[in-house]
């Protein structure tokens, strides 16, 4: 995406047959001076367009309303457009699957109805983007740490070592429960350490629920794009601190999915 002033959008160019055969997929809300790249494509490889209303606009593309949405490629295209835009302009993401009948519906059912709300939110997001700070425990290291800290876990581990699974099922279950509870406590502590480390950069933080047993940290933050180098340094410092214990990863910039709830159009 690029920013261009005095951009106008023609919403009347489709003939009646095309309108009947197409729906309009809406990705997100942006300032009206955002202009898609000429070769930008979204869902089903359709060209990205912009529909404007005053100082705000919607990023859209035509889709076949009879074609099923929800494939991995569709989800990736949705995120690609929003995240790419976040590099150059504030963007309010719509949830995946927002489809209206035509471009007039984009204006009347979405932009005009929420004009002031969208404009205010875009102003607040100017210069900011979301980043994800992710950490994954190194399995061998964290299990060893838990066992060393818990005598009962150590005893259970010794009791099942080199023994048939069918003869040690109860001990294995008990050990798994100890490890699971210990991971919950360590995850809470390590997430707190991460949030504290990030606090000089931002206080706008959302802690995500783990999606895997070995997830150590899942934190979304809203940070000024100009401070990305500082953010990278902070995450790098945590990675060095937790070397061979937690593998750290920074993802972004991306659209502020965790911090913006955008109404879905009724169409």
């Amino acid at each position: 995406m690029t920013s261009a002033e005095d951009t106008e959008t023609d919403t009347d160019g489709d003939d009646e047959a095309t309108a009947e055969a197409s729906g309009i997929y809406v990705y997100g809300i942006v300032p009206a001076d955002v202009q898609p790249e000429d070769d930008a494509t979204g869902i089903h490889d359709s060209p990205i367009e912009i529909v404007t209303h005053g100082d705000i606009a919607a990023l859209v593309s035509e889709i076949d309303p009879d074609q099923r949405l929800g494939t991995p490629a569709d989800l990736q295209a949705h995120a690609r457009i929003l995240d790419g835009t976040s590099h150059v302009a504030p963007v309010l993401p719509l949830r995946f699957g927002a489809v209206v009948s035509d471009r007039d519906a984009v204006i009347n059912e979405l932009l005009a109805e929420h004009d002031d709300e969208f404009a205010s939110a875009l102003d607040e997001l100017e210069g900011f983007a979301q980043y994800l700070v992710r950490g994954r425990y190194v399995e061998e290291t964290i299990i060893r740490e838990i066992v060393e800290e818990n005598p009962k876990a150590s005893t259970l581990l010794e009791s099942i070592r080199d023994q048939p699974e069918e003869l040690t099922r109860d001990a294995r279950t008990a050990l798994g429960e100890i490890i699971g509870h210990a991971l919950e406590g360590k995850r809470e502590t390590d997430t707190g350490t991460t949030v504290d480390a990030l606090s000089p950069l931002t206080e706008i933080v959302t802690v995500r629920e783990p999606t895997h047993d070995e997830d150590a940290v899942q934190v979304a933050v809203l940070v000024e794009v100009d401070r990305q180098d500082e953010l990278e340094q902070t995450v790098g410092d945590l990675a060095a601190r937790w070397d061979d214990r937690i593998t750290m990863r920074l993802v972004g910039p991306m659209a502020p999915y965790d911090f913006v709830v955008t109404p879905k159009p009724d169409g």
Side-chain angles (χ1 to χ4, degrees), residues 208-220:
R208 290 186 172 186
E209 292 297 317
T211 57
H212 190 279
D213 288 344
E214 292 167 12
D215 282 345
V217 176
Q218 289 266 31
V219 175

Side-chain angles (χ1 to χ4, degrees), residues 162-228:
D162 299 326
Q163 297 296 314
E165 182 175 350
E166 61 271 17
L167 299 179
T168 57
R169 188 170 289 109
D170 290 345
R172 292 175 186 273
T173 299
L175 179 59
E177 291 176 352
I178 291 173
I179 290 173
H181 287 308
L183 281 173
E184 289 179 6
K186 290 183 179 296
R187 186 180 296 120
E188 182 176 353
T189 298
D190 295 330
T191 297
T193 298
T194 301
V195 171
D196 288 344
L198 295 168
S199 61
L201 295 172
T202 183
E203 294 182 355
I204 308 174
V205 175
T206 295
V207 177
R208 290 186 172 186
E209 292 297 317
T211 57
H212 190 279
D213 288 344
E214 292 167 12
D215 282 345
V217 176
Q218 289 266 31
V219 175
V221 293
L222 199 64
V223 175
E224 292 175 86
V225 176
D226 289 346
R227 303 190 72 179
Q228 181 172 325

Side-chain angles (χ1 to χ4, degrees), residues 14-60:
D14 293 330
D15 60 28
E16 185 176 350
T18 301
E20 290 178 354
S22 301
I24 302 298
Y25 186 97
V26 188
Y27 300 84
I29 311 302
V30 294
D33 64 351
V34 169
Q35 178 69 13
E37 299 285 357
D38 291 340
D39 59 351
T41 59
I43 301 291
H44 305 160
D45 295 323
S46 296
I48 297 298
E49 306 172 42
I50 188 166
V51 176
T52 62
H53 173 73
D55 294 331
I56 61 175
L59 294 169
V60 307

Side-chain angles (χ1 to χ4, degrees), residues 55-213:
D55 294 331
I56 61 175
L59 294 169
V60 307
S61 65
E62 285 191 5
I63 63 167
D64 180 348
D66 294 327
Q67 189 167 354
R68 176 178 171 271
L69 288 172
T71 67
D74 294 340
L75 293 165
Q76 291 167 7
H78 179 84
R80 183 179 67 250
I81 294 302
L82 292 170
D83 295 346
T85 304
S86 73
H87 287 248
V88 297
V91 56
L92 307 178
L94 266 70
R95 296 186 184 278
F96 176 79
V99 180
V100 297
S101 56
D102 54 33
R103 291 164 181 78
D104 286 342
V106 174
I107 295 173
N108 298 327
E109 298 172 12
L110 184 63
L111 298 179
E113 189 168 334
H114 302 282
D115 192 340
D116 292 341
E117 176 187 347
F118 288 160
S120 177
L122 288 169
D123 284 344
E124 292 180 6
L125 286 169
E126 182 69 44
F128 286 81
Q130 175 171 316
Y131 297 82
L132 290 181
V133 181
R134 292 176 169 169
R136 177 69 66 90
Y137 287 119
V138 177
E139 182 178 11
E140 182 178 347
T141 303
I142 201 65
I143 296 300
R144 182 171 62 248
E145 182 179 305
I146 291 170
V147 170
E148 289 175 351
E149 293 172 352
N150 190 308
K152 184 175 181 180
S154 180
T155 299
L156 286 168
L157 183 61
E158 286 300 320
S159 72
I160 64 178
R161 196 184 302 276
D162 299 326
Q163 297 296 314
E165 182 175 350
E166 61 271 17
L167 299 179
T168 57
R169 188 170 289 109
D170 290 345
R172 292 175 186 273
T173 299
L175 179 59
E177 291 176 352
I178 291 173
I179 290 173
H181 287 308
L183 281 173
E184 289 179 6
K186 290 183 179 296
R187 186 180 296 120
E188 182 176 353
T189 298
D190 295 330
T191 297
T193 298
T194 301
V195 171
D196 288 344
L198 295 168
S199 61
L201 295 172
T202 183
E203 294 182 355
I204 308 174
V205 175
T206 295
V207 177
R208 290 186 172 186
E209 292 297 317
T211 57
H212 190 279
D213 288 344

